[in-house]
Amino acid sequence: CGFDCINDRNNNRPAVLDLGFSDESVDLLKQVVIEVDSIILRRTGVEDVVVDTFTIEELNLIDSDSFQLDLLQYQGLNQLLVITGLELQSASYAELRVNVLGGDINRSYVQESDDIIKQLNVAGGVLVLPGPSVSAGEQQFTVAFSLAQALLYRQASDDYLLTTEGIRVMNNATAASVSGRVDSSLFDTVTPCDAKNDPESGNRIYLYRDHGLLPEDLADVYTADSSNAVPAAARAPYAVAAMDEDTLTGRWQYALGFIAAGDYTLAFSCDAADDDPVNYDGIVIPL
């Protein structure tokens, strides 16, 4: 039969998809909980693939109509598998839609550092993300939530809005990761960080695409909707991670998982507690 016949058999095999959720956390929050009602894969000209029941061993769920997860429990390289063994046609899917149940403090919510609970909502109740390209055989993708970019506190309504800003859908087979430690003496020994009331707050790692960047061009998180003027050469970060203390060693570490392979620049700031996810704040990075 030869190669052509073998190749044809491989192309007719279904794609078997596993999908996980992961997070790059923000500091000063204790929980960021979302309740997911359904996950939909959409491509042009065919019916949507709808997953609306979930069997998640780690959450002790079997054929549940929805699931809740605290994104802060799955940081860096950790993830929660929410779909396993889903058979699909090999294709490029235009959208991955995550329907989130909001409008109810018992479903999706944020627990702040002082234990106050506030609603978490999603515009239109759905996160519309780029869809994966799946081929024959088993493969795993991860939805990585960069909460420093995606989570916005709204003072007018006193709630949190989860947006798609900074959220990535990554193929685990090709995704990269970076992790390391930061000397805690940097947290509060330089101006203006030596004036912080809490040395452990506001410490973040910013990840920027490419090498050889000018330090003065490394910007804090912002979007095109910034109400503050953005310098022409400013570069928004690709991802952001807060520091996490190792309870055994006392060392402060960071981890950025599920990032596109490529060249990057890492920068540390000890003065990022007030980094607004929409507005350009002019925070000096690196410090």
Side-chain angles (χ1 to χ4, degrees):
C1 182
F3 171 79
D4 289 338
C5 187
I6 295 171
N7 194 51
D8 184 62
R9 285 202 304 268
N10 287 337
N11 288 337
N12 289 329
R13 291 167 54 212
V16 181
L17 176 70
D18 292 346
L19 183 69
F21 282 14
S22 184
D23 157 54
E24 288 146 10
S25 72
V26 290
D27 51 356
L28 302 181
L29 298 178
K30 290 186 175 180
Q31 291 189 92
V32 178
V33 174
I34 60 173
E35 183 166 350
V36 176
D37 178 57
S38 63
I39 297 174
I40 300 171
L41 289 156
R42 177 170 291 179
R43 64 189 180 101
T44 305
V46 298
E47 289 187 10
D48 293 345
V49 178
V50 179
V51 180
D52 54 11
T53 59
F54 301 92
T55 296
I56 304 174
E57 181 178 352
E58 189 169 338
L59 300 182
N60 297 315
L61 297 179
I62 299 176
D63 293 332
S64 176
D65 291 336
S66 64
F67 67 91
Q68 277 186 324
L69 80 155
D70 176 8
L71 289 168
L72 299 187
Q73 296 298 313
Y74 302 95
Q75 299 179 26
L77 300 177
N78 298 320
Q79 64 171 312
L80 175 70
L81 282 176
V82 301
I83 296 175
T84 55
L86 176 65
E87 290 194 0
L88 299 169
Q89 289 186 347
S90 298
S92 293
Y93 290 81
E95 293 178 358
L96 174 69
R97 302 172 69 91
V98 181
N99 291 314
V100 177
L101 297 175
D104 185 339
I105 205 167
N106 295 308
R107 292 188 178 275
S108 299
Y109 59 88
V110 171
Q111 181 184 11
E112 298 179 328
S113 58
D114 55 5
D115 293 327
I116 292 176
I117 305 292
K118 295 183 178 178
Q119 272 192 32
L120 185 154
N121 293 298
V122 171
V126 59
L127 297 170
V128 181
L129 307 171
S133 294
V134 296
S135 54
E138 297 180 1
Q139 54 219 283
Q140 189 174 99
F141 284 77
T142 298
V143 178
F145 292 77
S146 182
L147 292 180
Q149 296 158 283
L151 189 63
L152 171 66
Y153 172 67
R154 299 188 293 189
Q155 188 170 9
S157 51
D158 194 27
D159 69 346
Y160 284 85
L161 179 69
L162 184 64
T163 73
T164 59
E165 196 71 35
I167 300 180
R168 309 181 298 278
V169 180
M170 300 300 303
N171 186 338
N172 289 17
T174 57
S177 65
V178 61
S179 59
R181 295 193 297 267
V182 172
D183 188 336
S184 60
S185 66
L186 296 176
F187 291 0
D188 62 348
T189 55
V190 296
T191 302
C193 301
D194 54 0
K196 290 194 301 185
N197 291 326
D198 181 2
E200 296 178 1
S201 71
N203 303 302
R204 291 183 178 180
I205 287 289
Y206 289 78
L207 185 72
Y208 301 86
R209 284 189 177 274
D210 298 327
H211 281 167
L213 306 179
L214 296 176
E216 58 266 30
D217 293 342
L218 305 183
D220 52 62
V221 177
Y222 69 88
T223 72
D225 295 324
S226 174
S227 58
N228 300 326
V230 180
R235 297 182 68 112
Y238 173 80
V240 182
M243 297 292 104
D244 182 43
E245 186 178 18
D246 188 317
T247 55
L248 295 177
T249 66
R251 292 174 174 173
W252 289 84
Q253 56 199 13
Y254 63 89
L256 292 150
F258 311 105
I259 59 179
D263 294 336
Y264 292 91
T265 295
L266 280 169
F268 169 73
S269 176
C270 56
D271 192 33
D274 296 325
D275 191 354
D276 184 278
V278 174
N279 294 322
Y280 173 78
D281 299 298
I283 296 172
V284 178
I285 303 169
L287 261 178

